[in-house]
Amino acid sequence: MSEEAAGNKPKDPLQGKTLEMIVTELAAYFGWQELGQRIPIRCFQSDPSVASSLKFLRKTPWARAKVESLYLFMLREQARNARP
């Protein structure tokens, strides 16, 4: 029986995460320079900050989707590296 059939929905890793938390964690993990290379948008490349990034990402759905996708990639990479 699948998790959904049993009444348990698979946990969404973005559940409970604010955009600010996601951007902060990505910047800490990759650094602004690599973040700007992976997602080439000006708010990551020119005088980057969490505040300027949030302002842009909240108005730009395609960029926010890329950030969320990179965040999920980061979580998978962290899980993979944590295995013995």
Side-chain angles (χ1 to χ4, degrees):
M1 186 185 298
S2 74
E3 285 183 306
E4 287 181 9
N8 300 327
K9 291 186 178 178
K11 189 172 183 324
D12 179 2
L14 297 175
Q15 185 79 32
K17 291 282 185 179
T18 65
L19 187 56
E20 182 176 4
M21 293 166 73
I22 291 171
V23 171
T24 301
E25 287 183 46
L26 286 172
Y29 187 77
F30 291 109
W32 288 111
Q33 185 172 357
E34 186 174 345
L35 198 51
Q37 290 171 349
R38 289 177 177 261
I39 304 174
I41 51 179
R42 192 174 299 137
C43 66
F44 290 162
Q45 296 176 330
S46 177
D47 195 23
S49 71
V50 172
S52 67
S53 300
L54 292 175
K55 192 173 185 179
F56 176 75
L57 294 170
R58 286 185 177 131
K59 295 186 291 186
T60 317
W62 65 264
R64 183 180 182 142
K66 285 182 179 276
V67 166
E68 290 173 348
S69 176
L70 182 60
Y71 182 74
L72 295 174
F73 169 81
M74 179 194 78
L75 292 179
R76 287 191 305 270
E77 193 172 80
Q78 287 176 330
R80 205 175 308 124
N81 292 336
R83 290 186 191 142

